[in-house]
């Protein structure tokens, strides 16, 4: 097959989900414009940072591109006259910094290609749409029965994954969706095992797994074909979105925020937990649960993108669960991601932050009980329930499943061992990242505590006390030396003096008053 003969592009070591932070360090005024020097950092390591230079017009261009999200972003307004004045530049720099803070902390915006290219042009200079088209064209040379209808531009969040609407030539009314993806940083299967595992996906049969029509992989990427659903995903249902629209347009700023009915929450939740339990028992790593990876087929939820973990792609929620060292297995990752999904089904939007310790009113106390067991600070510290335990909780235990389809997914023993090793490597990388983040957080807390106003006051008081104590001890020492000098003539022996030392004046015949006998203050000594 021509697709299989494509020369490898090499393993992608870059994890696109690692957050980028940006800090404007300085500005420089040229003849007709001002440039802002920005320090960008990937993750927690200051060594993994670089400088970029951007003009206001660059920010404006980015902001115009992000308008598709319909978010109200805080870009400072344009100013044609007086825009080179020092005070104005300083004020604009503050506004641009606030803008950077918003786009780098918004979960969807921070992961989109537009923002990544703005902050890290060297790592995101490749046109992945063109690469995907090349791979797909090569595939069609050996599989002429397929035909591309149209590219589905930016319908997903991944930069290195592209989608196309397809049809079979002799069945022109039937629509399918082709996805092409580059291999990711967590690809630990050998090329041979990867190709075998990807092909095996089309044999998987489960009432809550979305059927794969065809799948293949080579040394650098994979291609998967599925039926296209006009209803879209669970996320499309929650956000009332059109499946073919770009990801930013569909999910950044929903017009109406409304959760699902309680029965839908119970049924969909139970179905998703059942398929997670099935995959865990099969030893098949997943770790990619989110509402856009769940397809709707009538009243049934079906899991998508089983290939992601095989290809080594990082999870949508990785930047969240990498903060918590207790979430260190793919089973734990699935439970954490299920908490996000349940929150979204309940409230019609993602949580504002993780962990969540205060939940808005929900359709049932049982919903809140499950959310508290997964997303609270206590759950992050003490551990979350297993998938089996979640299935036993009152919210899901009384849901009746009507499907009669028997699950089937036969994985050969040798491949199971390779999947187990791959899973362990994925978990090891996660644990190492969590350790670095934890160390950075402790260091940041210590520095913050050391630099706090309260600590500064304490240090000033201690320094003042130390200074006073040192002065007092020095004064006593001087007094003692002066006293010994005055008493040198009364003993049998006198201390040695330097030949140049002045001779003390004679006190014979002088009368001292009581005040003259008081100790000499330290500041009167010469």
């Amino acid at each position: 097959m021509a697709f299989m003969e494509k020369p490898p592009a090499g393993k992608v070591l870059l994890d696109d989900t690692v957050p980028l932070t940006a800090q404007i360090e300085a500005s420089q005024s040229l003849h007709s414009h001002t440039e802002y020097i920005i320090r960008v950092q990937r993750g927690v390591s200051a060594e993994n940072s670089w400088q970029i230079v951007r003009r206001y017009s660059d920010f404006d261009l980015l902001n115009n591109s992000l308008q598709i999200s319909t978010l109200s972003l805080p870009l400072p307004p344009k100013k044609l006259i007086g825009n080179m004045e020092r005070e104005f530049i300083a004020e604009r720099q503050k506004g641009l910094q606030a803008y950077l803070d918003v786009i780098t902390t918004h979960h969807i915006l921070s992961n989109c290609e537009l923002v990544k290219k703005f902050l890290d042009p060297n790592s995101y200079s490749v046109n992945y749409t063109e690469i995907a088209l090349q791979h797909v064209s090569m595939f069609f040379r050996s599989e002429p029965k397929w035909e591309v209808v149209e590219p589905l531009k930016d319908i997903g969040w991944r930069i290195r994954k592209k989608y196309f609407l397809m049809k079979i030539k002799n069945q022109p009314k039937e629509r399918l969706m082709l996805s092409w993806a580059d291999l990711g940083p967590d690809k630990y299967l050998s090329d041979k095992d990867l190709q075998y595992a990807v092909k095996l996906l089309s044999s998987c049969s489960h009432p809550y797994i979305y059927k794969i029509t065809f799948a293949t992989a080579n040394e650098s990427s994979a291609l998967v074909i599925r039926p296209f659903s006009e209803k879209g995903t669970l996320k499309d249902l929650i956000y009332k979105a059109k499946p073919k629209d770009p990801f930013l347009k569909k999910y950044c700023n929903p017009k109406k925020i409304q959760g699902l009915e309680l029965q839908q929450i119970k049924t969909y939740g139970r179905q998703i937990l059942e398929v997670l339990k099935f995959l865990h028992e099969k030893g098949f790593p997943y770790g990619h649960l989110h509402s856009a990876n769940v397809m709707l087929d009538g009243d049934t939820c079906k899991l998508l993108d089983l290939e992601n973990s095989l290809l080594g792609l990082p999870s949508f929620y990785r930047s969240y669960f990498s903060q918590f060292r207790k979430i260190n297995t793919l089973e734990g990752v699935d439970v954490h991601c299920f908490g996000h999904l349940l929150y979204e089904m309940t409230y019609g939007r993602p949580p504002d932050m993780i962990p969540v310790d205060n939940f808005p009113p929900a359709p049932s106390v049982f919903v809140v009980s499950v959310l508290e067991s997964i997303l609270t600070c206590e759950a992050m510290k003490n551990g979350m329930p297993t998938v089996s335990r979640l299935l036993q909780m009152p919210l899901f235990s009384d849901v009746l499943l009507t499907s009669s389809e028997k699950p089937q997914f036969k994985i050969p023993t040798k491949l199971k061992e390779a999947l187990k090793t791959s899973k362990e490597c994925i978990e090891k990388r996660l644990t190492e990242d969590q350790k670095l983040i934890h160390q950075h957080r402790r260091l940041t807390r210590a520095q913050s505590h050391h630099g706090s106003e309260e600590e500064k006051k304490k240090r000033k008081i201690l320094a003042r006390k130390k200074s006073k104590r040192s002065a007092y001890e020095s004064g006593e020492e001087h007094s003692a030396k002066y006293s010994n000098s005055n008493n040198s003539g009364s003993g049998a022996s006198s201390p040695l003096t330097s030949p140049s030392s002045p001779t003390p004046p004679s006190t014979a015949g002088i009368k001292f008053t009581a005040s003259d006998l008081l100790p000499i203050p330290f500041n009167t000594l010469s």
Side-chain angles (χ1 to χ4, degrees):
M1 182 181 291
F3 176 76
M4 299 299 291
E5 295 166 3
K6 177 72 178 175
K11 181 178 176 181
V12 177
L13 298 177
L14 189 65
D15 185 340
D16 296 324
T17 64
V18 176
L20 299 180
T21 54
Q23 190 72 33
I24 302 177
E25 294 184 322
S27 62
Q28 54 188 18
S29 296
L30 303 180
H31 294 297
S32 60
H33 65 273
T34 302
E35 292 181 338
Y36 298 92
I37 301 167
I38 305 168
R39 171 69 59 180
V40 182
Q41 181 174 313
R42 175 177 288 107
V44 297
S45 174
E47 296 176 359
N48 195 1
S49 67
W50 57 93
Q51 278 187 339
I52 58 172
V53 178
R54 294 288 181 267
R55 298 170 56 174
Y56 176 82
S57 58
D58 297 321
F59 280 90
D60 188 48
L61 187 62
L62 171 65
N63 192 62
N64 288 336
S65 300
L66 294 177
Q67 290 305 302
I68 191 173
S69 69
T70 71
L71 290 168
S72 179
L73 299 172
L75 183 71
K78 292 181 180 180
K79 185 177 181 182
L80 299 177
I81 300 173
N83 59 6
M84 299 298 290
E85 295 172 0
R86 184 179 298 177
E87 294 78 8
F88 172 76
I89 291 172
E91 195 62 31
R92 173 174 275 183
Q93 181 172 321
K94 289 180 183 178
L96 293 177
Q97 184 61 59
Y99 181 82
L100 287 172
D101 292 342
V102 168
I103 65 173
T104 54
T105 55
H106 189 283
H107 185 58
I108 294 178
L109 290 185
S110 63
N111 281 296
C112 80
E113 189 171 9
L114 294 166
V115 172
K116 296 284 190 183
K117 279 187 173 181
F118 182 83
L119 296 174
D120 188 6
N122 292 335
S123 299
Y124 297 96
S125 58
V126 175
N127 189 327
Y128 280 96
T129 301
E130 286 187 7
I131 294 176
L133 281 169
Q134 291 172 11
H135 280 269
V136 172
S137 298
M138 294 180 73
F139 167 71
F140 284 139
R141 290 176 192 172
S142 58
E143 297 286 346
K145 66 177 182 177
W146 312 99
E147 185 178 324
V148 170
V149 177
E150 61 177 315
L152 298 171
K153 188 173 172 59
D154 299 328
I155 67 165
W157 68 276
R158 292 189 186 276
I159 296 170
R160 307 171 202 269
K161 192 170 189 175
K162 302 300 175 182
Y163 299 86
F164 302 86
L165 192 65
M166 294 179 55
K167 68 179 179 181
I168 304 174
K169 288 183 179 179
N170 60 2
Q171 298 174 4
K173 291 186 177 181
E174 185 180 350
R175 292 290 181 266
L176 301 109
M177 184 174 69
L178 181 151
S179 64
W180 171 89
D182 209 354
L183 303 184
D186 280 324
K187 186 262 180 184
Y188 296 106
L189 289 173
S190 68
D191 293 340
K192 184 179 178 181
D193 286 335
L194 172 65
Q195 291 167 18
Y196 183 56
V198 168
K199 283 185 177 180
L200 197 66
L201 292 176
S202 58
S203 68
C204 177
S205 176
H206 192 284
Y208 309 126
I209 292 178
Y210 202 62
K211 182 68 178 172
I212 290 175
T213 305
F214 178 86
T216 186
N218 63 19
E219 296 86 352
S220 64
S221 60
L223 184 151
V224 180
I225 299 174
R226 297 178 173 88
F228 177 75
S229 172
E230 294 290 346
K231 284 190 174 182
T233 64
L234 179 57
K235 201 174 188 79
D236 293 326
L237 174 68
I238 295 170
Y239 288 75
K240 299 170 180 61
K242 297 177 181 178
K244 291 183 183 180
D245 282 345
F247 202 86
L248 293 184
K249 182 179 180 180
K250 289 188 289 188
Y251 308 133
C252 273
N253 190 25
K255 293 179 181 178
K256 187 177 181 181
I257 297 175
Q258 184 177 356
L260 303 182
E261 299 290 332
L262 179 59
Q263 193 54 48
Q264 288 177 304
I265 295 171
K266 290 167 65 72
T267 303
Y268 295 161
R270 175 65 187 266
Q271 292 169 349
I272 291 164
L273 289 172
E274 287 289 346
V275 70
L276 290 177
K277 183 171 181 285
F278 171 78
L279 292 173
H280 293 174
E281 289 172 349
K282 287 289 180 180
F284 189 93
Y286 186 55
H288 291 272
L289 179 63
H290 60 93
S291 56
N293 266 358
V294 179
M295 192 66 79
L296 285 176
D297 186 4
D299 293 329
T300 304
C301 276
K302 298 194 174 187
L303 210 59
L304 282 169
D305 287 1
L306 264 64
E307 70 274 14
N308 281 0
S309 59
L310 303 178
L311 306 181
L313 306 183
S315 171
F316 182 63
Y317 290 120
R318 185 182 174 87
S319 61
Y320 288 97
F321 59 73
S322 59
Q323 305 287 325
F324 306 102
R325 301 176 80 181
K326 285 283 186 180
I327 308 173
N328 52 19
T329 66
L330 284 185
E331 288 83 357
V333 167
D334 282 335
V335 170
H336 177 78
C337 294
F338 179 78
H340 282 264
L341 187 147
L342 181 61
Y343 190 103
E344 213 169 3
M345 287 197 294
T346 305
Y347 301 112
R349 60 180 180 83
D352 293 327
M353 62 180 65
I354 296 294
V356 183
D357 285 317
N358 293 305
F359 295 92
S364 166
V365 292
F366 294 140
V367 175
V368 176
S369 177
V370 176
L371 289 172
E372 286 176 341
S373 73
I374 300 173
L375 296 181
T376 58
C377 189
E378 185 180 356
M380 304 294 180
K381 289 181 180 178
N382 301 327
M384 304 172 300
T386 62
V387 169
S388 297
R389 176 71 188 96
L390 287 171
L391 282 165
Q392 295 170 0
M393 295 182 81
L395 183 62
F396 307 114
S397 60
D398 62 349
V399 176
L400 297 175
L401 301 177
T402 57
S403 176
S404 58
E405 182 183 347
K406 187 178 179 181
Q408 287 185 338
F409 192 18
K410 292 182 179 179
I411 305 174
T413 304
K414 190 176 179 182
L415 182 58
K416 271 190 176 181
E417 288 300 316
L419 290 173
K420 182 181 177 183
T421 302
S422 174
K423 174 178 176 289
E424 289 169 352
C425 290
I426 293 170
E427 292 169 348
K428 182 181 178 183
R429 187 174 84 89
L430 173 61
T431 303
E432 289 171 352
D433 285 354
Q434 289 171 331
K435 184 178 179 181
L436 288 174
I437 292 169
H438 179 70
Q439 290 172 345
H440 173 75
R441 192 183 291 131
R442 288 184 63 183
L443 179 62
T444 302
R445 275 202 300 260
Q447 290 173 340
S448 176
H449 179 68
H450 187 73
S452 67
E453 289 300 320
E454 186 178 347
E455 281 299 303
K456 286 179 182 178
K457 285 180 181 179
K458 285 182 180 178
R459 289 198 298 273
K460 282 182 180 179
I461 292 170
L462 286 173
R464 203 177 293 125
K465 286 181 178 179
K466 188 176 179 181
S467 177
K468 285 182 178 180
R469 190 183 303 116
S470 176
Y472 177 74
E473 290 173 353
S474 180
E476 283 195 333
E477 185 180 345
H478 270 286
S479 297
K481 285 182 179 179
Y482 192 87
S483 176
N484 288 337
S485 175
N486 283 339
N487 294 331
S488 60
S490 59
S493 63
S494 61
L496 295 173
T497 60
S498 169
S500 60
S501 298
T503 305
S506 173
T507 58
I510 299 177
K511 293 182 181 179
F512 292 97
T513 64
S515 62
D516 294 325
L517 297 175
L518 290 174
I520 302 171
F522 175 68
N523 58 7
T524 64
L525 294 174
S526 58

